[in-house]
Amino acid sequence: QQQVKQSPQSLIVQKGGISIINCAYENTAFDYFPWYQQFPGKGPALLIAIRPDVSEKKEGRFTISFNKSAKQFSLHIMDSQPGDSATYFCAASIGAGSYQLTFGKGTKLSVIP
Amino acid sequence: DVKVTQSSRYLVKRTGEKVFLECVQDMDHENMFWYRQDPGLGLRLIYFSYDVKMKEKGDIPEGYSVSREKKERFSLILESASTNQTSMYLCASRPQGGGSPLHFGNGTRLTVT
């Protein structure tokens, strides 16, 4: 019940294309869903987060879509750029202040020119 | 900017050695965390601390212990290193309360031979 399933494991997208990463969860008590971005040699950093009271959140080229009934959420990167090449982790917790943030297994995104 | 510093970028130890991984944060954060990152397994929580001298087990505490004697420093201890503890270790910190993201260090890649 604590798992967050993330797909795909790796993704190759042409520059200018749309990158889509999907996550699914089982625990209906989860109410905070952040995405972290990790560049090679660096620690992950918060990219964008959403709560289930909204179905979509957009920050620049990055959009989280949330489907509460399906228990799924996804990250869309519009106009993908080579600088977006990184590993992306979705995560979920019960409350934004929870100590226990459950991470997905990560998606390695490569944006090719 | 929050800075989370992990004392070693790379570490090579022998089986059976006692290993200390050190982490220091400079933003007076109450909460500190140790994660382990393995390919295909994502980020898994080993231990966390919500205050000085306080510690709680995460998802995979076996074979590890922690120490938090000062607010800014959180140490991960491998009492007797084993080859299956070869991994990337990430330290993170966060202020108490909801909505604040985890701030990660750049990681320590530990190899146990």
Side-chain angles (χ1 to χ4, degrees):
Chain A
Q1 285 85 357
Q2 293 298 318
Q3 275 190 323
V4 175
K5 295 182 179 179
Q6 184 172 347
S7 62
Q9 190 171 351
S10 63
L11 182 61
I12 299 174
V13 173
Q14 289 270 340
K15 178 182 174 182
I18 301 173
S19 303
I20 302 174
I21 304 170
N22 299 300
C23 287
Y25 63 97
E26 295 178 358
N27 188 345
T28 54
F30 284 148
D31 63 356
Y32 176 67
F33 303 91
W35 286 86
Y36 280 79
Q37 179 188 52
Q38 183 181 30
F39 293 107
K42 300 293 186 182
L46 180 68
L47 180 64
I48 187 172
I50 196 168
R51 295 176 192 266
D53 52 343
V54 296
S55 59
E56 187 175 281
K57 183 173 181 179
K58 186 175 181 179
E59 289 186 5
R61 295 183 294 108
F62 299 89
T63 300
I64 300 179
S65 298
F66 185 80
N67 186 331
K68 189 174 182 177
S69 60
K71 292 185 286 185
Q72 294 176 349
F73 58 111
S74 60
L75 176 69
H76 295 235
I77 306 174
M78 311 300 289
D79 186 26
S80 299
Q81 299 296 314
D84 297 329
S85 297
T87 299
Y88 292 82
F89 295 96
C90 62
S93 66
I94 302 171
S98 170
Y99 301 117
Q100 294 273 23
L101 190 60
T102 300
F103 284 90
K105 294 184 178 181
T107 296
K108 185 173 182 180
L109 171 66
S110 299
V111 181
I112 55 176
Chain B
D1 260 4
V2 176
K3 190 155 187 180
V4 178
T5 303
Q6 295 184 231
S7 56
S8 302
R9 185 76 181 99
Y10 299 95
L11 211 52
V12 180
K13 296 292 182 180
R14 294 198 179 275
T15 302
E17 277 193 78
K18 189 169 184 176
V19 181
F20 292 85
L21 302 184
E22 306 288 346
C23 175
V24 176
Q25 51 96 0
D26 66 355
M27 284 302 291
D28 204 36
H29 287 171
E30 290 82 5
N31 303 158
M32 295 189 75
F33 305 79
W34 276 106
Y35 286 88
R36 172 175 171 161
Q37 181 175 9
D38 298 288
L41 296 179
L43 298 166
R44 294 180 291 167
L45 180 64
I46 305 171
Y47 266 96
F48 64 93
S49 168
Y50 52 88
D51 204 347
V52 176
K53 297 191 185 294
M54 307 306 289
K55 59 186 179 184
E56 294 286 344
K57 293 179 180 179
D59 300 318
I60 52 165
E62 296 79 17
Y64 304 95
S65 63
V66 290
S67 173
R68 192 163 180 206
E69 296 296 318
K70 293 185 177 181
K71 192 174 185 179
E72 67 271 18
R73 187 179 296 270
F74 193 34
S75 302
L76 181 69
I77 304 159
L78 287 66
E79 293 289 341
S80 178
S82 64
T83 55
N84 62 14
Q85 292 178 309
T86 291
S87 186
M88 172 66 81
Y89 291 88
L90 290 164
C91 175
S93 73
R94 189 188 68 185
Q96 188 68 21
S100 297
L102 291 170
H103 296 271
F104 284 89
N106 288 335
T108 294
R109 183 165 294 282
L110 172 68
T111 301
V112 182
T113 61

